[in-house]
Structure formats: structure tokens, C-alpha cells
């Protein structure tokens, strides 16, 4: 097992290993004394990993309870968030108690937002069980729910007290869920570390998670509240979020980001913002992984949702521009130019 320390406003450790989930209670006790611990999970993970984590918490002196909601992005909304808060209150969790987010990015984002706001903030632990959550969402403290107008439009920055990542849990993940994590790992490779691509192709999970976590850790430590370089992590996300929303979330986050990276790269090149056109390389490797990069929506539809992007500020949006494999920079595009940018990318 390897351990990484993240130095943010609330410092915490990330533990990465194979078969470590059964020791969750022991690890959590390193940073939180026994208290009431409420595990939040979804209807799939409930049947797979909940009992083991509950038992481990009890063995280590925690009093346990659970909240289970239906799996999937459709649950990442205000009604589920509200139900979680009401259940925490019904359980009588206090400020010295704990939420444990057991699952993928949906569970992590929802539970983290509940933890950030319940009683004005209580501690939480992330136990990611998807490849995507392991390489990205469980680290960095971004929490959110979707609103009717778009993705992640209500949320908070709220760092976990620990992340426990057991990549043995990927044994039960369907292939399309592995692919979702591949998209975010390719994103990390594109912005910082080209050499990672070979390891993603070799399905070297341990290495890929450790490198993605290290990359994200360094970015989040430098810009915890997303006012500067952290926005590099949004590569492909403006288009990706629009595709997710337009498809009523039938296009997954990873698939949206994969297509979004290709479109945004092509647009950046055609608009003369970079001499490097990453779209050809990205198309080749992403299709090689099995992504369908076709876009069943019009420019007007994508532009409409892009205008709800939470990254818009002062009538402009920060776009991530690839300058070489493993090297990107940020460039602000006015909302006036955004439609042309998207048109060039979609051509
Ligand atoms: P998810 O949480 O919906 O999980 C995908 C599916 O896998 C679900 O059906 C889930 O029940 C199932 N599952 C989870 N673990 C399993 C396991 N071990 N075995 C079998 N099935 C399992 O989706 P996701 O892809 O993990 O996360 C996507 C979400 O993460 C999106 O909402 C996205 O916006 C968010 N996200 C957040 C951040 C952040 O920094 N906070 C970063 C990237 C993505
Ligand atoms: N996933 C984007 C971020 O954490 O900033």
C-alpha cells in the first residue's frame, strides 16, 4: 500500500492499495476517533462493498448507519441531496460525527456536498470504487450536485479527511465504467504527463492511479479553489458537460470528456491558439480504447448548454489549450468567440 499526503486547507492522506477496503475502519481511526459514521452509497455498491466497510468500522469502535440512493448520474440532484441531509438529521449525526462516501464520483460528489453543508460542515471520508473516482473525483474536495440548467451548478470546496482507494474493487466494474476512468486519466496525461498513456493502455491501475493522484495533488495544492491552474483539469469538460446534459446523462461523464477533448483540441488549433493539433492523436488513442466519439447534437444545442458552464466569469470562459502532448495552457475566450470556437471544433 502507498500513501500520499495532500497539503490543502485541511491536510489529508490518500491510501492506495489492493484489497485494503476491509481495513477501512482501522485506517479511518488514524485520523478520526470513534464516533457515529454514516456510510452513503448507491444501490449497486450497497450489494458489493457496504457490509465489509460497515463491519470494519464497527470492529474499530464506530457506531454505524447507512444511506443508500439509486445508482447513476440521475441521482446527482437536489432531491437526493435533500434526502441525504434529512436522513443525517434523523440519525442525529452531530458535528463530531462522520460521513463515509462509498462509491463512484456520484456518491463522492453528493456525500461531499452533504458533508460540506450539514451542520455547516462535518468530516467525510472518500472510498472510491470506480476507476474514475480513484484517478480524479475522490481527490481535491470539489463537491456538487447538478441543477436543471446544467452540471455541478451547486456545490462547495470541502476536502475529505482521508481517501482510501482499493483498486481490487474494479474487479466488479463493467468495462464501460473502466472507460470512464480512462478518459480522465488520458486528460491527466495530456495536461501533464504524456508517458502515462502507455501505462493506461497496459491497464497498470496501480501506477496510473498513483500518477493521476500525484498530478492532481500538485495542482490542488497550488490552487485549491480553482482560480488558476486547477482549471487545466477541465480539459474537454465544457463540451463534455454539454453532451452529458443534452443526452439527459445517457452519455456518461467519461464519454463526454473524451469527445470534449477532441473537439476542444481541434477548435484551439483551427482558431490559431496553438500550433499543435492534438485532435488526431486523441481520436486515435480514444477510439483505440473503445470510445464512440460521434456527436449527435448541433452546434446551437452544444453552445446553449456551454453558456451555463460554471467556469464562465466576466463574459469569458477559460479553455484548456494543448501545446504539446503532456503540456497545456489556459486561454480565456469571450462568450462572443465561444460559438465560433465550438463551430471549428465540431467541423
Ligand atoms: P458513478 O458514481 O455513477 O459510478 C458509475 C457506476 O458504477 C454506477 O452505476 C455505480 O453504481 C457503479 N459502481 C461503482 N463502483 C462499482 C464497483 N466497484 N463495481 C461495480 N459497479 C460499481 O460514476 P463515476 O464515473 O464514478 O463518476 C462520475 C461523476 O463524477 C460525475 O458526476 C462527474 O461529474 C463526477 N466527477 C467529479 C469530479 C470531482 O473532482 N469532484 C471529478 C471528475 C468527475
Ligand atoms: N475534476 C476537476 C477538478 O477537480 O478540479
Amino acid at each position: 500500500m502507498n500513501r500520499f499526503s495532500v497539503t490543502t486547507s485541511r491536510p489529508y492522506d490518500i491510501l492506495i492499495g489492493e484489497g485494503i477496503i476491509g481495513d477501512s475502519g482501522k485506517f479511518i481511526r488514524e485520523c478520526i476517533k470513534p464516533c457515529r459514521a454514516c456510510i452513503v452509497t448507491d444501490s449497486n455498491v450497497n450489494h458489493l462493498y457496504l457490509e465489509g466497510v460497515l463491519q470494519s468500522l464497527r470492529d474499530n469502535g464506530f457506531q454505524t448507519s447507512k444511506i443508500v440512493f439509486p445508482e447513476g448520474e440521475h441521482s446527482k440532484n437536489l432531491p437526493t441531496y435533500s434526502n441525504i441531509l434529512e436522513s443525517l438529521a434523523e440519525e442525529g449525526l452531530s458535528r463530531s460525527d462522520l460521513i463515509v462516501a462509498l462509491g463512484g464520483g456520484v456518491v463522492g460528489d453528493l456525500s461531499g456536498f452533504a458533508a460540506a453543508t450539514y451542520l455547516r460542515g462535518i468530516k467525510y471520508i472518500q472510498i472510491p470504487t470506480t476507476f474514475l473516482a480513484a484517478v480524479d473525483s475522490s481527490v481535491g474536495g470539489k463537491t456538487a450536485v447538478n441543477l436543471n440548467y446544467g452540471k455541478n451548478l451547486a456545490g462547495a470546496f470541502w476536502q475529505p479527511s482521508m481517501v482510501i482507494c482499493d483498486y481490487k474493487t474494479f474487479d466488479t466494474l463493467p468495462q464501460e465504467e473502466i472507460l470512464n476512468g480512462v478518459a480522465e486519466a488520458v486528460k491527466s496525461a495530456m495536461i501533464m504527463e504524456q508517458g502515462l498513456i502507455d501505462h493506461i493502455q497496459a491497464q497498470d491501475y496501480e501506477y496510473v492511479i498513483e500518477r493521476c493522484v500525484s498530478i492532481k495533488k500538485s495542482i490542488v495544492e497550488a490552487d485549491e479553489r480553482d482560480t488558476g491552474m486547477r482549471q487545466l483539469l477541465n480539459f474537454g469538460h465544457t463540451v463534455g458537460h454539454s453532451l452529458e446534459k443534452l443526452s439527459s446523462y445517457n452519455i456518461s461523464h467519461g464519454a463526454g470528456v473524451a469527445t470534449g477533448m477532441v473537439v476542444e483540441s481541434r477548435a484551439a488549433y483551427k482558431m490559431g491558439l496553438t500550433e499543435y493539433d492534438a485532435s488526431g492523436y486523441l481520436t486515435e488513442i480514444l477510439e483505440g480504447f473503445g470510445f464512440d466519439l460521434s456527436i449527435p447534437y448541433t452546434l446551437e444545442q452544444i453552445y446553449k448548454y456551454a453558456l451555463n458552464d460554471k467556469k464562465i466569469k466576466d463574459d469569458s470562459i477559460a479553455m484548456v489549450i494543448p501545446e504539446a502532448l503532456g503540456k497545456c495552457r489556459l486561454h480565456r475566450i469571450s462568450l462572443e468567440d465561444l460559438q465560433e470556437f465550438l463551430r471549428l471544433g465540431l467541423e
Side-chain angles (χ1 to χ4, degrees):
M1 183 183 83
N2 282 327
R3 188 182 284 257
F4 297 80
S5 295
V6 187
T7 312
T8 39
S9 52
R10 174 192 295 142
Y12 55 99
D13 283 356
I14 301 169
L15 315 183
I16 301 169
E18 186 167 14
I20 62 174
I21 197 169
D23 284 328
S24 297
K26 185 184 86 181
F27 297 131
I28 293 170
R29 206 173 159 158
E30 285 177 17
C31 61
I32 292 168
K33 62 178 194 300
C35 58
R36 271 180 289 185
C38 181
I39 303 187
V40 180
T41 193
D42 73 22
S43 49
N44 285 336
V45 182
N46 175 36
H47 298 298
L48 294 165
Y49 303 107
L50 179 75
E51 201 43 55
V53 177
L54 278 173
Q55 190 57 49
S56 173
L57 282 162
R58 284 189 213 112
D59 291 347
N60 284 278
F62 292 88
Q63 277 176 267
T64 59
S65 58
K66 66 171 183 176
I67 297 172
V68 183
F69 62 80
E71 68 78 33
E73 188 75 28
H74 293 103
S75 286
K76 193 175 144 177
N77 55 21
L78 288 172
T80 312
Y81 165 70
S82 163
N83 286 342
I84 293 172
L85 293 182
E86 295 289 359
S87 302
L88 294 171
E90 194 179 334
E91 293 285 342
L93 251 74
S94 74
R95 279 187 172 163
S96 54
D97 293 324
L98 175 69
I99 291 174
V100 177
L102 173 68
V106 167
V107 169
D109 281 13
L110 263 167
S111 316
F113 189 35
T117 47
Y118 179 68
L119 304 180
R120 299 205 176 89
I122 70 170
K123 291 181 175 164
Y124 76 116
I125 304 283
Q126 289 268 18
I127 306 185
T129 62
T130 63
F131 189 33
L132 182 144
V135 296
D136 197 338
S137 64
S138 63
V139 177
K142 268 192 189 174
T143 73
V145 295
N146 304 328
L147 301 185
N148 291 336
Y149 280 92
K151 278 275 294 184
N152 296 338
L153 293 186
F157 292 96
W158 192 245
Q159 301 296 337
S161 296
M162 181 176 265
V163 180
I164 302 169
C165 174
D166 179 354
Y167 50 87
K168 182 83 181 135
T169 59
F170 305 163
D171 286 357
T172 51
L173 264 188
Q175 179 56 22
E176 70 257 29
E177 297 303 341
I178 296 285
L179 265 190
N180 285 326
V182 164
E184 295 284 18
V186 168
K187 173 198 77 181
S188 298
M190 288 299 295
I191 61 176
M192 288 252 174
E193 192 169 305
Q194 183 205 346
L196 199 48
I197 299 282
D198 289 344
H199 295 272
I200 303 170
Q201 281 169 330
Q203 301 185 346
D204 186 354
Y205 293 137
E206 184 178 11
Y207 183 88
V208 173
I209 296 167
E210 289 188 4
R211 287 310 307 150
C212 288
V213 161
S214 297
I215 290 167
K216 186 150 184 188
K217 162 186 146 62
S218 66
I219 290 176
V220 170
E221 285 176 346
D223 177 24
E224 183 172 346
R225 296 186 67 90
D226 208 14
T227 56
M229 78 179 292
R230 184 163 181 174
Q231 294 169 31
L232 289 171
L233 292 167
N234 293 327
F235 182 35
H237 282 56
T238 299
V239 170
H241 282 173
S242 295
L243 297 177
E244 279 185 77
K245 174 70 189 157
L246 280 164
S247 71
S248 303
Y249 300 107
N250 288 317
I251 294 179
S252 67
H253 182 69
V257 168
T259 307
M261 288 190 290
V262 174
V263 172
E264 293 177 18
S265 298
R266 190 185 296 124
Y269 174 71
K270 287 191 178 169
M271 216 162 179
L273 300 172
T274 176
E275 290 181 0
Y276 173 59
D277 182 2
S279 64
Y281 173 76
L282 277 170
T283 300
E284 189 186 322
I285 61 154
L286 290 167
E287 286 185 343
F289 282 120
F291 284 102
D292 171 5
L293 301 174
S294 59
I295 302 174
Y297 302 105
T298 63
L299 166 65
E300 287 68 30
Q301 287 175 304
I302 293 173
Y303 178 61
K304 177 173 172 242
Y305 278 104
L307 288 178
N308 286 331
D309 195 299
K310 66 184 178 314
K311 297 181 290 298
I312 291 174
K313 212 173 73 181
D314 297 333
D315 286 336
S316 71
I317 182 164
M319 297 302 301
V320 181
I321 312 293
E323 292 190 309
L325 290 182
K327 187 165 180 260
C328 291
R329 72 179 162 85
L330 292 168
H331 178 85
R332 291 206 79 83
I333 292 185
S334 71
L335 293 188
E336 247 181 286
D337 290 342
L338 180 62
Q339 188 164 17
E340 177 62 3
F341 180 87
L342 294 173
R343 188 185 69 76
L344 292 170
L346 291 166
E347 255 176 17

